Amino acid sequence: MSEAIDLTHIYDLRNNFTVIGLTGQIGSGCSEVAEQLFKGFDSLDFEEPFNIGFDYKNEEFKHNSFRKYRIIYNYAKINFKSYSLINYKEVLVMFLLKYSFDDFIKFLESEKLLSDLEDLFKKLKSSGAEPNFKIEISELFTLKETFNELSNELNRIDIPSIGLYDFYFEGKFKPFCEKFLTVLKKNSRIKRNKLLQIISINLRQSGNPYKPSKLSAVKVFTIVELINDIIKSHGKYVKKMFQEGQTKEERTQIVIDDLRNPIEIMFFKQRFSAYYTVAINREDDSRRDALSNKYSTPDTKEIREAYWKEEYDEAKNHEFYKANISACIQQADIHITFLSKKEADEKNSGLQKQVTEKIKTENTVADKTSPFFSWKMQLLKFVSLISHPGLVPPSPEERCMQLAYTAKHNSGCISRHVGAAITDENYSIKAIGWNNTPEGQVPCVLRNAQDLIDPQITSDKKAFTPYEYEYESEEDNKSETAPKFRNELIDKFEKPIE
């Protein structure tokens, strides 16, 4: 009989370096997921398989999903190690530390910032809040000494280096950030968030947190490049500890809380093979209930809803430097539905009633729909699969969604790819499809803008509709609508973003 061989080293590269970027709407649960990844596995946090899915009377699991969860739970109990947490807001504060404290105060008092926040300030004023930063500034001065100390320390550090690791993860920086960000939200959390949003936009435009610039793609990766440097510094630190024998594993596992710009997600996808974007989705009613205590007066419901809507789908056309959470969610590799254990139990109870009624009235076999899992159970599953692909097979729903996800790549649409899979009640695939142009028209991705901007004999005129390319009739030629539309298209393409 051959001797057993330990093959765990096969997955060492994957286990030793993993980066997870979280994304989702405000209140979706990104912070809770980040904290759990930071904490790692704790049996008190996760449901025990035999307590949730085992039928003691019949001595069997109620569904194959619970058998899979048992495998995942046993694997995670040994292999789910703590992730190091990089907070996006803290990284923005690091950019502020590259300048003086006085520069930040001048920015808070600047007419440009007050102008950018004019609409918000009008709403805040009507709700009784201070439409400026006077209150925040007075309290910020209590942190001036620490600000200057950290600023001097950061500006002396070689980036990336172990010094950057010590600064971000081990020193005074994180406690300072907590106080700093708390002061900024004291008068209004929305005002604080809007301020950080403007700072992030400025950084993606110019590399300077206080000054925007003309439209340019040169500085768009400014924030994520610093995050990447922090990740590198973490790797250097872990390697040093491993070489000195102070740790048994050379493991760099990072979770970023949270990403709100699709271009930044693209940066990490191109940079790391073991990078995963995880979108946290939450039902609107549950999300609003969770936020009700955090966003109290003066952040009225009207103010909150306006801000959330703006951030969810803010970037339009060429505004690639702004937040666009809807686009980030579309790019996600993994989706987690944020359900508490109670919410999952309620949904499973309702599902079971539907199944029982269906069997009685329609005389059909038992429904094969997978049960609902709490967000912690879902997280445990995906973290385990990232570490050990193939640990359990996909559920029927996941299998169908993977086919739909693959089908979307057939789309010829530039702005959005959508795939679909149609199945019967047994999850047998009956059809797949994707969004595309109407039959007979050329997909947008195959058209050349130059053919529209500067028509030649060799131009592919038929790729465009008559309305886009020229006037369909003499009557259209006299109309102002058609030429205006074509001129707007040409203006967009003639001045590319550099």
Side-chain angles (χ1 to χ4, degrees):
M1 185 175 180
S2 60
E3 185 179 348
I5 302 173
D6 183 5
L7 297 178
T8 55
H9 69 281
I10 291 175
Y11 293 103
D12 279 352
L13 285 176
R14 177 178 290 273
N15 289 330
N16 287 346
F17 187 87
T18 306
V19 179
I20 292 176
L22 302 178
T23 191
Q25 289 181 271
I26 294 174
S28 61
C30 287
S31 296
E32 289 88 339
V33 172
E35 286 298 324
Q36 189 62 61
L37 287 167
F38 173 71
K39 189 176 182 181
F41 183 88
D42 186 329
S43 59
L44 298 177
D45 293 331
F46 298 99
E47 293 93 330
E48 210 277 341
F50 287 97
N51 291 339
I52 59 164
F54 193 74
D55 184 345
Y56 283 90
K57 182 179 179 180
N58 295 315
E59 297 181 321
E60 65 172 353
F61 279 101
K62 301 172 186 176
H63 195 280
N64 275 341
S65 293
F66 296 113
R67 294 186 174 96
K68 294 176 185 177
Y69 180 67
R70 180 188 184 184
I71 295 170
I72 289 164
Y73 184 91
N74 291 335
Y75 175 84
K77 190 161 51 175
I78 299 170
N79 297 283
F80 181 10
K81 307 295 184 182
S82 173
Y83 278 65
S84 295
L85 173 59
I86 297 177
N87 189 294
Y88 197 93
K89 292 186 182 73
E90 293 174 348
V91 176
L92 295 180
V93 175
M94 288 181 71
F95 282 101
L96 303 182
L97 292 175
K98 292 185 177 183
Y99 299 81
S100 70
F101 179 82
D102 292 339
D103 288 334
F104 182 56
I105 299 301
K106 288 177 183 176
F107 177 66
L108 293 182
E109 295 174 331
S110 67
E111 290 297 326
K112 176 67 171 66
L113 178 62
L114 300 183
S115 174
D116 289 341
L117 295 173
E118 184 178 0
D119 289 341
L120 175 61
F121 280 169
K122 285 179 181 177
K123 294 175 183 176
L124 287 173
K125 188 174 182 179
S126 64
S127 64
E130 191 72 28
N132 51 52
F133 288 95
K134 289 181 180 179
I135 295 175
E136 291 85 348
I137 289 172
S138 64
E139 293 202 28
L140 283 171
F141 271 96
T142 63
L143 301 173
K144 181 177 180 179
E145 184 178 343
T146 309
F147 185 105
N148 290 334
E149 180 186 342
L150 289 169
S151 178
N152 292 332
E153 183 182 346
L154 178 61
N155 288 323
R156 288 195 302 266
I157 293 173
D158 292 328
I159 297 177
S161 66
I162 292 177
L164 181 59
Y165 172 89
D166 291 334
F167 177 86
Y168 185 82
F169 291 105
E170 302 292 345
K172 297 179 181 179
F173 175 70
K174 280 183 175 287
F176 164 78
C177 267
E178 184 176 356
K179 295 177 183 177
F180 185 80
L181 294 170
T182 299
V183 169
L184 289 176
K185 74 178 181 183
K186 189 167 185 178
N187 187 239
S188 164
R189 184 183 285 259
I190 292 289
K191 187 166 68 172
R192 192 277 306 271
N193 288 357
K194 189 67 178 176
L195 170 68
L196 295 177
Q197 186 185 78
I198 290 171
I199 289 171
S200 66
I201 289 172
N202 290 344
L203 285 167
R204 296 188 199 108
Q205 281 189 291
S206 67
N208 185 321
Y210 305 133
K211 295 179 181 178
S213 71
K214 294 181 180 178
L215 195 60
S216 171
V218 175
K219 298 293 184 178
V220 68
F221 294 134
T222 297
I223 301 170
V224 285
E225 282 175 346
L226 180 54
I227 293 176
N228 185 44
D229 286 333
I230 296 172
I231 294 171
K232 286 180 181 178
S233 72
H234 188 288
K236 290 176 183 289
Y237 172 80
V238 170
K239 185 176 182 179
K240 181 176 180 289
M241 293 296 101
F242 180 75
Q243 290 174 343
E244 293 177 355
Q246 297 186 42
T247 179
K248 294 181 180 180
E249 294 180 307
E250 194 176 344
R251 181 178 292 212
T252 294
Q253 291 186 152
I254 303 290
V255 55
I256 305 167
D257 179 26
D258 56 331
L259 298 172
R260 297 176 177 274
N261 180 280
I263 301 294
E264 294 177 335
I265 287 176
M266 183 186 73
F267 172 89
F268 288 115
K269 283 188 174 183
Q270 293 179 346
R271 182 78 51 169
F272 305 123
S273 60
Y275 168 80
Y276 303 87
T277 304
V278 179
I280 313 301
N281 304 286
R282 193 172 191 171
E283 293 179 353
D284 283 344
D285 289 343
S286 174
R287 186 170 63 87
R288 287 184 170 88
D289 288 343
L291 288 169
S292 60
N293 293 327
K294 290 183 179 180
Y295 290 84
S296 54
T297 306
D299 295 330
T300 63
K301 182 179 180 181
E302 177 194 5
I303 296 172
R304 297 198 306 262
E305 295 291 339
Y307 174 73
W308 296 338
K309 186 177 186 300
E310 174 192 346
E311 189 180 46
Y312 179 68
D313 199 10
E314 181 183 12
K316 301 294 184 183
N317 300 325
H318 53 269
E319 297 177 324
F320 55 86
Y321 49 86
K322 290 187 176 181
N324 189 335
I325 297 175
S326 63
C328 291
I329 292 173
Q330 287 179 45
Q331 292 188 22
D333 306 293
I334 296 168
H335 290 261
I336 289 177
T337 302
F338 197 89
L339 294 173
S340 66
K341 183 180 184 302
K342 181 182 177 181
E343 289 171 329
D345 289 343
E346 289 173 352
K347 286 183 175 292
N348 284 328
S349 177
L351 179 64
Q352 187 58 47
K353 288 180 181 178
Q354 291 178 13
V355 171
T356 303
E357 187 64 27
K358 186 177 180 181
I359 292 173
K360 286 181 180 179
T361 57
E362 301 181 19
N363 195 28
T364 61
V365 297
D367 190 277
K368 296 185 179 181
T369 304
S370 299
F372 291 92
F373 277 11
S374 70
W375 71 265
K376 290 186 178 181
M377 293 172 68
Q378 295 172 60
L379 178 65
L380 204 65
K381 173 182 177 180
F382 290 124
V383 168
S384 298
L385 287 171
I386 286 172
S387 177
H388 193 300
L391 184 64
V392 294
S395 68
E397 293 89 350
E398 289 169 338
R399 182 177 68 245
C400 296
M401 286 302 296
Q402 183 58 53
L403 288 170
Y405 185 87
T406 302
K408 79 173 188 175
H409 296 300
N410 291 296
S411 172
C413 181
I414 293 175
S415 61
R416 178 173 295 183
H417 295 177
V418 181
I422 300 174
T423 79
D424 63 15
E425 61 184 7
N426 295 313
Y427 293 97
S428 174
I429 301 292
K430 300 304 178 185
I432 60 172
W434 52 89
N435 65 315
N436 216 339
T437 53
E439 184 67 28
Q441 291 190 13
V442 178
C444 298
V445 74
L446 300 181
R447 304 194 297 182
N448 192 318
Q450 195 62 38
D451 292 339
L452 182 67
I453 296 169
D454 184 21
Q456 304 289 330
I457 295 177
T458 56
S459 294
D460 186 11
K461 295 183 179 180
K462 294 297 183 181
F464 295 89
T465 63
Y467 187 65
E468 294 168 313
Y469 193 85
E470 57 189 8
Y471 314 124
E472 190 169 8
S473 65
E474 195 60 36
E475 185 176 338
D476 280 339
N477 193 23
K478 298 175 183 177
S479 167
E480 293 182 0
T481 307
K484 181 181 178 183
F485 180 76
R486 182 167 181 261
N487 289 336
E488 286 176 353
L489 283 174
I490 292 173
D491 287 342
K492 288 180 181 180
F493 289 117
E494 278 188 328
K495 299 175 183 178
I497 300 169
E498 297 178 356

